[in-house]
Amino acid sequence: DGGITQSPKYLFRKEGQNVTLSCEQNLNHDAMYWYRQDPGQGLRLIYYSQIVNDFQKGDIAEGYSVSREKKESFPLTVTSAQKNPTAFYLCASSRSDGITSDTQYFGPGTRLLVL
Amino acid sequence: QKEVEQNSGPLSVPEGAIASLNCTYSDRGSQSFFWYRQYSGKSPELIMSIYSNGDKEDGRFTAQLNKASQYVSLLIRDSQPSDSATYLCAVNKTGRRALTFGSGTRLQVQP
């Protein structure tokens, strides 16, 4: 069953703590993305990666870091430098071969809360 | 000016009516346009994609694109209570594969 999985579903962060959100896909997609969604707002791009071992900052990358060591995996670390991390985090993936490759499919999301 | 603008709503329509959702975008070089539906607490799911001027129909949904006016819309015919959700418009930015999203329009279909 192909798709995108994110874990955990809920994550609690203490002050000064780094936390890592997992995103895995078995769709054989080259490109992966991380978005943040705050209540009542649209999605804002944090980081994206078009190929393994390469990634680019999005619009709100400060306080976040990513890695792309495998095609299937694109973990996001929320560092202590991110002062307002409470949000719904969404991972997405897409193909990378032509105009229709912009179609992105989303995982179920991780809700991050600060204790 | 926001890169992708949507009326936040709520847009309220009676069951069986046509719901019309609108979106404008600022980047004239954009080529890919998407509508996603998002239920409360869930992740967005793709409804329609459109790449050329004109209409594209899929079941009860019709996407309309007018690149000259930088306008894309979604029509939902025979609206059902299960269509009640937030609808997100997304557009690609020139030179960047990642999508730019509007803040969404909340649709309420009244039984």
Side-chain angles (χ1 to χ4, degrees):
Chain A
D1 191 19
I4 304 173
T5 57
Q6 291 186 242
S7 62
K9 187 174 181 179
Y10 295 96
L11 185 57
F12 299 91
R13 193 191 91 164
K14 296 179 181 178
E15 291 288 337
Q17 186 182 39
N18 292 354
V19 293
T20 297
L21 285 60
S22 169
C23 177
E24 304 275 334
Q25 54 97 2
N26 61 5
L27 300 169
N28 199 32
H29 285 171
D30 289 305
M32 297 186 74
Y33 312 82
W34 275 106
Y35 292 91
R36 167 181 172 144
Q37 187 176 35
D38 295 282
Q41 297 190 31
L43 281 62
R44 291 185 290 166
L45 181 67
I46 304 173
Y47 269 99
Y48 65 107
S49 168
Q50 297 296 311
I51 56 172
V52 173
N53 293 322
D54 187 46
F55 47 83
Q56 290 78 39
K57 292 182 178 180
D59 301 315
I60 56 165
E62 186 175 351
Y64 300 97
S65 66
V66 294
S67 62
R68 186 85 188 277
E69 297 177 0
K70 298 187 301 181
K71 186 176 182 177
E72 301 79 19
S73 177
F74 191 39
L76 173 74
T77 296
V78 184
T79 75
S80 57
Q82 173 50 244
K83 297 306 179 187
N84 185 22
T86 297
F88 190 36
Y89 290 85
L90 290 156
C91 178
S93 70
S94 69
R95 290 170 26 226
S96 197
D97 55 355
I99 191 171
T100 59
S101 66
D102 289 332
T103 302
Q104 294 181 17
Y105 300 92
F106 286 86
T110 292
R111 202 165 294 276
L112 176 60
L113 300 167
V114 176
L115 294 178
Chain B
Q1 182 191 5
K2 287 184 181 178
E3 293 177 287
V4 180
E5 292 210 57
Q6 295 181 255
N7 187 320
S8 61
L11 172 65
S12 185
V13 300
E15 184 175 355
I18 296 175
S20 177
L21 304 163
N22 304 315
C23 172
T24 58
Y25 60 95
S26 61
D27 184 355
R28 284 198 170 273
S30 297
Q31 298 182 64
S32 306
F33 306 87
F34 304 88
W35 283 100
Y36 286 86
R37 177 175 63 198
Q38 186 176 27
Y39 292 111
S40 180
K42 302 296 185 182
S43 64
E45 54 181 326
L46 180 70
I47 297 176
M48 297 276 288
S49 59
I50 187 166
Y51 305 97
S52 309
N53 280 329
D55 294 0
K56 179 182 178 182
E57 187 175 319
D58 184 0
R60 296 187 295 113
F61 299 97
T62 299
Q64 299 174 318
L65 176 61
N66 184 326
K67 289 186 179 180
S69 301
Q70 294 174 246
Y71 174 94
V72 58
S73 65
L74 179 71
L75 300 178
I76 306 175
R77 289 181 299 281
D78 189 23
S79 294
Q80 301 297 310
S82 58
D83 295 325
S84 298
T86 296
Y87 289 80
L88 300 169
C89 172
V91 177
N92 77 320
K93 280 179 72 171
T94 306
R96 189 174 85 169
R97 278 289 206 237
L99 299 177
T100 300
F101 285 80
S103 56
T105 297
R106 188 156 63 94
L107 173 66
Q108 294 177 340
V109 181
Q110 306 295 335

